[in-house]
Amino acid sequence: MHAVLFDMDGVIVNSEDYWVEFQREEILPAAVPDANVDVAEVTGMNYHEIYDYLEAEYGTDISRETFVDRFADAAEEIYTEHVDLLDGLPELLAELEDRGVETAVVSSSPHDWIGIVLERFELVDAFDHVISADDIDGASKPEPDVFEYAAAEVGVAPEACLVVEDSENGVTAAARANTTVVAYRIDAHDDLDLSAADVVVDSPAELRETILEAVETDPATQYTD
């Protein structure tokens, strides 16, 4: 593996705990009050595409502008007041840099949300690349577009990229892009189907060990047992 691509929400920071609550308790009941929408259906999507999905599948009771504004207000509160950083992430990024491995944030969140997180935790210069789904003219996760774009931006073939994702849509997108996928299982998504991943880990320590082993291993021999 010559590059490691990190999802932000649920991986770099534990924001999925708060996003799941916001979507389940506030935005989904407001947008589609007559439908029982599983949060997993939309987790990992760009919030603009969440609205498109809800409108197409169920019909919505609020305008796109209201929907977007409520997401933006929630993001400001979640990223500035609530989230915690993945344990040991700065040290892991430093180790990857020492080994000459490219790193990137690859997120469905817009750049301004990513910027809040990177500034708050002093990670502005910690990643080689910062990529948002807003950068591409393509479909959101679970489609592979953002990871295919990220691999091209990083300058590494998808087959030599390791992707860390926590959501079912994100894992599916990374697998469809022909990357090696590490699913990071979190409490907010404890019932997801992560079978498309090459390996599933349950703790920051296991995630670190898996990543560092992968960057020393020939991709052709990864996870074949």
Side-chain angles (χ1 to χ4, degrees):
M1 300 292 106
H2 301 300
V4 181
L5 314 180
F6 293 86
D7 180 38
M8 183 177 79
D9 293 292
V11 176
I12 293 175
V13 289
N14 64 336
S15 49
E16 287 294 2
D17 297 336
Y18 304 100
W19 280 123
V20 166
E21 180 180 0
F22 166 71
Q23 290 178 91
R24 180 184 293 133
E25 303 298 328
E26 297 185 39
I27 196 65
L28 292 177
V32 284
D34 297 326
N36 184 21
V37 181
D38 190 335
V39 174
E41 289 183 49
V42 298
T43 299
M45 293 182 182
N46 178 278
Y47 67 116
H48 291 284
E49 292 200 8
I50 292 176
Y51 186 86
D52 294 338
Y53 173 83
L54 295 174
E55 176 65 23
E57 293 295 321
Y58 303 100
T60 55
D61 276 24
I62 61 176
S63 69
R64 174 185 292 274
E65 181 180 7
T66 298
F67 186 88
V68 167
D69 287 346
R70 291 182 69 167
F71 256 90
D73 291 343
E76 180 74 20
E77 178 180 344
I78 288 169
Y79 294 129
T80 60
E81 298 181 18
H82 296 301
V83 298
D84 295 312
L85 188 67
L86 176 70
D87 187 36
L89 180 64
E91 294 79 9
L92 174 58
L93 293 173
E95 179 69 19
L96 292 172
E97 182 179 13
D98 288 345
R99 298 188 187 193
V101 177
E102 293 285 304
T103 58
V105 180
V106 182
S107 176
S108 293
S109 293
H111 275 287
D112 55 344
W113 299 4
I114 300 171
I116 293 172
V117 170
L118 298 184
E119 290 178 13
R120 179 180 172 190
F121 294 105
E122 300 181 350
L123 295 173
V124 171
D125 298 318
F127 292 91
D128 297 306
H129 307 270
V130 177
I131 296 163
S132 164
D134 286 350
D135 296 333
I136 68 170
D137 182 18
S140 186
K141 305 169 187 177
E143 298 306 316
D145 302 41
V146 70
F147 289 115
E148 293 172 344
Y149 174 86
E153 285 293 295
V154 172
V156 175
E159 294 79 7
C161 291
L162 182 75
V163 172
V164 184
E165 268 282 358
D166 67 294
S167 72
E168 187 172 334
N169 284 331
V171 166
T172 300
R176 289 175 175 174
N178 295 318
T179 68
T180 294
V181 189
V182 177
Y184 180 47
R185 195 195 311 273
I186 60 176
D187 291 342
H189 300 319
D190 59 357
D191 59 346
L192 297 187
D193 178 6
L194 302 175
S195 59
D198 295 279
V199 63
V200 179
V201 301
D202 297 294
S203 69
E206 190 179 3
L207 178 59
R208 173 188 173 87
E209 180 181 0
T210 300
I211 291 172
L212 293 180
E213 286 180 355
V215 299
E216 294 179 341
T217 305
D218 187 325
T221 66
Q222 273 293 100
Y223 310 116
T224 56
D225 55 7

